[in-house]
Amino acid sequence: MASTLRCLLVVFALGAVCCANRGKFTSMSNLEKLFYIESEVIALSDVFLREEHFAHQGEDPHNLGGMKKTVEKNKVIHRNISNMSEYLSHPINVFHLTRRLCREWKSTLQIIWTGEPCQKWNIPQLKARLANINNNMPTRDDLMRVALGIAHIQYTENMTFDDIYAGVIRGRKSLQPVIIEDLIDLAWGAFSGGQFLFTTNVVERVLKECKKNPGSEYCNSPKAFKIAASSYYEMNKLEEAVQMIDKVLSMDPEDKGALRSRRFYAGRLRSKSRGKEVLFGARNVKYYETCRGERRKSSAQMSRLHCVLLPTRYFLVFEKAEYHHMDPPIVEFHSTIQPQFLKVMKRIATKAYREMATRNLYQSPDFTFRPLPTYAYKQYASRFMHLKSPLTWPFVEGSVEIRQISLEGMYFRPKDRENLPNLGSHVGSFFTFLDDEYNGGEFVFPKYKLKITPNIGNTIFFFPTRSTLNICPVSYGVQWLAVQSLFEKKVKGLCRLYDQNMWDKDGKWKLAY
């Protein structure tokens, strides 16, 4: 028993793990934390099962056969993972990791908590560690968020659902294929986010798989068909909605909810009061269409855009700038930072994020890292301060932040004031792309029909008080961004930076024409 206790204490040698901010659940640092948690739970479960085996002389009085299968299955998965970062870069792998922690390991932790070794030894550190792991397990909402992110990727990347089912995204295959058990969670997540077309594709795949294996428990469950009926109704495809409800009633003719829905759908079908077919909720239409490339500027609008050499405060030194939008200005600076500085910035940030994930050192709720003033970061921070345009005095620069964008992307609507960050005196932002080892992650401004493809070393400038930035989902890997913010500086006799110095009497930006 002493040796077993020592093994358990080794398992608990990792520091406490703190909960991640829900809005950044799929950031790489949080996913690495979850991977470490699963590795630790596997080791802990293995020790627990070994102790139970010797304590009961090989017998199984507590019926731990299911737990043994779970542990052995996940041991094989972890042995097949040669590179953790590559594994976590694939959205389907992220979905499987989240599903295992949410569906399988929570019950396993409960068995360990109530088992004889834990209760018999009564070690406070052991119980505290178990509680900490349990509190950091992903919730069902987290699983639905990952599923919705996969639905977003499938639509914005113009992928077929067959690719998703095969686990192939951008030519990269997931470690494990998608199985019928995964489809139900994918359907729920997509439906909760208004991705109705994806939901119906999932249920159609369930029907195909049920023809091959009619004995599956999921083929006799009405859940998927109820989701499909609701999705078809939202898409204004009433005939299909009635067909799905009829499948539910064939399983349970006394289902009162299905009977009410059947009468409602049939009534709408008879009245022929339906609108045009919709693929997803109206809330994000412009965002999806811009990411997909269907919403873009006209030729006349594009003809007014141009590249310029912006003057600096240094003699004969200019910055190459490309104007993507004139009023308000959205500018892309090309090749702003030397490659060696980008590598240093990303390396420092990666190390810091991993420490946050394993040593309880989260420094901000939205997973932004503020680095120490090393030489590389000083070079970045001072890079844009010598521009004569589009910046004018007075302003003060904020600290540099390193952010991660993953499969969820970043979406805001100007109307959603409760979801938008509090800008306060924030008047300008520089976003620099630190790497190119990912797919997706385009910057979009749906209001202006603007989509900007990321290029390593380039920097995007815009006024957050007048433009709302959204970022398309990252279909593979993680996008690293360095952000430099500018804030208004109160000076007696002068108004706000963007009210007086940047705009003329007609509301036009002075340097745009």
Side-chain angles (χ1 to χ4, degrees), residues 450-463:
L450 177 59
K451 178 181 178 180
I452 303 175
T453 302
N455 288 293
I456 184 171
N458 288 10
T459 299
I460 307 298
F461 173 82
F462 66 98
F463 291 102

Side-chain angles (χ1 to χ4, degrees), residues 239-301:
E239 294 89 348
E240 290 82 352
V242 172
Q243 292 174 8
M244 290 296 108
I245 283 296
D246 287 340
K247 290 184 180 295
V248 175
L249 292 172
S250 66
M251 300 176 188
D252 183 7
E254 303 299 326
D255 190 321
K256 295 182 179 180
L259 290 171
R260 287 195 298 268
S261 298
R262 178 68 170 78
R263 290 193 295 269
F264 176 74
Y265 295 154
R268 291 292 301 272
L269 190 60
R270 287 192 299 269
S271 66
K272 298 182 180 181
S273 59
R274 68 183 77 177
K276 65 179 182 178
E277 181 179 341
V278 296
L279 303 180
F280 41 77
R283 176 184 177 89
N284 307 335
V285 171
K286 292 182 179 179
Y287 169 66
Y288 293 141
E289 290 180 347
T290 309
C291 286
R292 194 176 167 95
E294 297 173 349
R295 181 180 172 84
R296 62 186 68 182
K297 291 179 177 293
S298 65
S299 299
Q301 291 173 322

Side-chain angles (χ1 to χ4, degrees), residues 283-320:
R283 176 184 177 89
N284 307 335
V285 171
K286 292 182 179 179
Y287 169 66
Y288 293 141
E289 290 180 347
T290 309
C291 286
R292 194 176 167 95
E294 297 173 349
R295 181 180 172 84
R296 62 186 68 182
K297 291 179 177 293
S298 65
S299 299
Q301 291 173 322
M302 294 294 294
S303 65
R304 290 195 292 268
L305 304 178
H306 57 274
C307 292
V308 298
L309 292 176
L310 288 179
T312 69
R313 291 184 172 87
Y314 303 113
F315 182 66
L316 294 180
V317 178
F318 299 86
E319 288 285 354
K320 181 182 178 183

Side-chain angles (χ1 to χ4, degrees), residues 25 53 61 158 170 191 197 254 278 306 331 362 371 386 420:
F25 174 78
H53 176 80
N158 295 303
R170 291 273 188 154
F191 180 76
L197 178 62
E254 303 299 326
V278 296
H306 57 274
V331 186
Y362 295 121
H386 63 273
L420 286 170

Side-chain angles (χ1 to χ4, degrees), residues 267-470:
R268 291 292 301 272
L269 190 60
R270 287 192 299 269
S271 66
K272 298 182 180 181
S273 59
R274 68 183 77 177
K276 65 179 182 178
E277 181 179 341
V278 296
L279 303 180
F280 41 77
R283 176 184 177 89
N284 307 335
V285 171
K286 292 182 179 179
Y287 169 66
Y288 293 141
E289 290 180 347
T290 309
C291 286
R292 194 176 167 95
E294 297 173 349
R295 181 180 172 84
R296 62 186 68 182
K297 291 179 177 293
S298 65
S299 299
Q301 291 173 322
M302 294 294 294
S303 65
R304 290 195 292 268
L305 304 178
H306 57 274
C307 292
V308 298
L309 292 176
L310 288 179
T312 69
R313 291 184 172 87
Y314 303 113
F315 182 66
L316 294 180
V317 178
F318 299 86
E319 288 285 354
K320 181 182 178 183
E322 178 182 358
Y323 286 92
H324 292 282
H325 196 264
M326 303 302 292
D327 182 20
I330 300 174
V331 186
E332 180 176 5
F333 295 94
H334 288 260
S335 303
T336 53
I337 306 295
Q338 297 181 24
Q340 61 266 30
F341 290 147
L342 298 175
K343 293 180 181 179
V344 171
M345 294 169 69
K346 180 182 175 182
R347 184 168 62 248
I348 294 174
T350 301
K351 181 180 179 181
Y353 272 116
R354 285 176 177 167
E355 290 178 352
M356 291 180 192
T358 57
R359 298 183 185 176
N360 197 19
L361 291 178
Y362 295 121
Q363 298 178 2
S364 60
D366 58 349
F367 271 79
T368 57
F369 165 63
R370 294 177 176 84
L372 296 173
T374 59
Y375 179 73
Y377 284 101
K378 286 181 179 178
Q379 286 290 107
Y380 174 81
S382 63
R383 178 65 175 172
F384 310 102
M385 297 306 106
H386 63 273
L387 290 173
K388 289 185 178 180
S389 169
L391 305 176
T392 56
W393 185 87
F395 64 84
V396 59
E397 65 269 20
S399 59
V400 179
E401 296 181 351
I402 306 298
R403 300 181 184 177
Q404 298 177 350
I405 305 297
S406 56
L407 65 91
E408 292 182 81
M410 187 175 77
Y411 172 73
F412 293 118
R413 284 197 315 176
K415 296 180 181 179
D416 297 336
R417 296 300 180 187
E418 69 277 6
N419 294 328
L420 286 170
N422 183 14
L423 297 175
S425 60
H426 186 189
V427 294
S429 291
F430 290 98
F431 281 74
T432 301
F433 304 107
L434 296 184
D435 72 332
D436 56 0
E437 299 175 0
Y438 59 90
N439 298 122
E442 293 86 358
F443 277 32
V444 294
F445 297 84
K447 180 179 179 181
Y448 309 128
K449 303 179 181 180
L450 177 59
K451 178 181 178 180
I452 303 175
T453 302
N455 288 293
I456 184 171
N458 288 10
T459 299
I460 307 298
F461 173 82
F462 66 98
F463 291 102
T465 53
R466 294 173 62 89
S467 304
T468 303
L469 169 66
N470 296 287

Side-chain angles (χ1 to χ4, degrees), residues 4-122:
T4 304
L5 176 58
R6 284 195 295 272
C7 290
L8 281 171
L9 291 178
V10 169
V11 171
F12 295 129
L14 282 173
V17 182
C18 181
C19 294
N21 179 269
R22 294 288 178 85
K24 300 295 180 181
F25 174 78
T26 54
S27 65
M28 182 58 72
S29 50
N30 190 54
L31 294 178
E32 289 184 357
K33 180 199 75 172
L34 296 178
F35 187 85
Y36 296 146
I37 285 179
E38 185 176 49
S39 300
E40 187 172 349
V41 174
I42 290 174
L44 174 60
S45 302
D46 205 29
V47 172
F48 174 82
L49 289 172
R50 189 163 57 248
E51 175 65 18
E52 283 284 310
H53 176 80
F54 288 116
H56 299 286
Q57 300 179 353
E59 298 182 359
D60 187 13
H62 299 129
N63 298 320
L64 299 178
M67 180 179 175
K68 292 177 183 177
K69 290 181 180 179
T70 299
V71 173
E72 292 302 320
K73 179 187 73 173
N74 287 284
K75 277 185 180 180
V76 173
I77 293 174
H78 276 246
R79 280 198 296 266
N80 291 333
I81 298 173
S82 58
N83 186 301
M84 178 182 63
S85 296
E86 289 184 4
Y87 176 77
L88 297 176
S89 295
H90 200 294
I92 301 297
N93 291 336
V94 173
F95 174 79
H96 284 145
L97 172 64
T98 308
R99 193 177 189 278
R100 291 197 301 269
L101 290 169
C102 181
R103 301 293 191 198
E104 299 176 6
W105 287 120
K106 281 191 175 182
S107 58
T108 300
L109 281 178
Q110 187 62 28
I111 293 173
I112 296 174
W113 179 266
T114 57
E116 288 184 11
C118 187
Q119 299 300 323
K120 184 177 180 181
W121 296 338
N122 195 26

Side-chain angles (χ1 to χ4, degrees), residues 105-233:
W105 287 120
K106 281 191 175 182
S107 58
T108 300
L109 281 178
Q110 187 62 28
I111 293 173
I112 296 174
W113 179 266
T114 57
E116 288 184 11
C118 187
Q119 299 300 323
K120 184 177 180 181
W121 296 338
N122 195 26
I123 303 173
Q125 295 88 341
L126 178 60
K127 290 187 174 182
R129 184 58 183 156
L130 286 172
N132 178 258
I133 293 175
N134 186 64
N135 291 336
N136 281 275
M137 285 292 187
T139 64
R140 183 181 180 276
D141 290 341
D142 297 325
L143 180 61
M144 296 298 101
R145 184 175 293 111
V146 176
L148 179 59
I150 292 174
H152 291 340
I153 290 171
Q154 186 262 341
Y155 183 77
T156 57
E157 295 281 340
N158 295 303
M159 298 170 56
T160 65
F161 185 76
D162 289 338
D163 292 332
I164 296 294
Y165 189 70
V168 178
I169 295 179
R170 291 273 188 154
R172 299 178 176 91
K173 191 172 179 61
S174 60
L175 182 65
Q176 295 174 285
V178 176
I179 57 178
I180 192 169
E181 288 87 343
D182 301 328
L183 293 177
I184 306 301
D185 287 324
L186 286 172
W188 274 113
F191 180 76
S192 65
Q195 282 280 6
F196 307 129
L197 178 62
F198 186 89
T199 305
T200 56
N201 288 337
V202 170
V203 177
E204 289 172 3
R205 175 61 63 171
V206 171
L207 291 174
K208 289 182 180 179
E209 294 303 315
C210 287
K211 290 181 180 179
K212 300 176 184 178
N213 184 20
S216 173
E217 61 176 310
Y218 295 95
C219 298
N220 299 318
S221 173
K223 292 182 179 179
F225 304 108
K226 288 182 177 180
I227 302 172
S230 299
S231 296
Y232 279 126
Y233 171 72

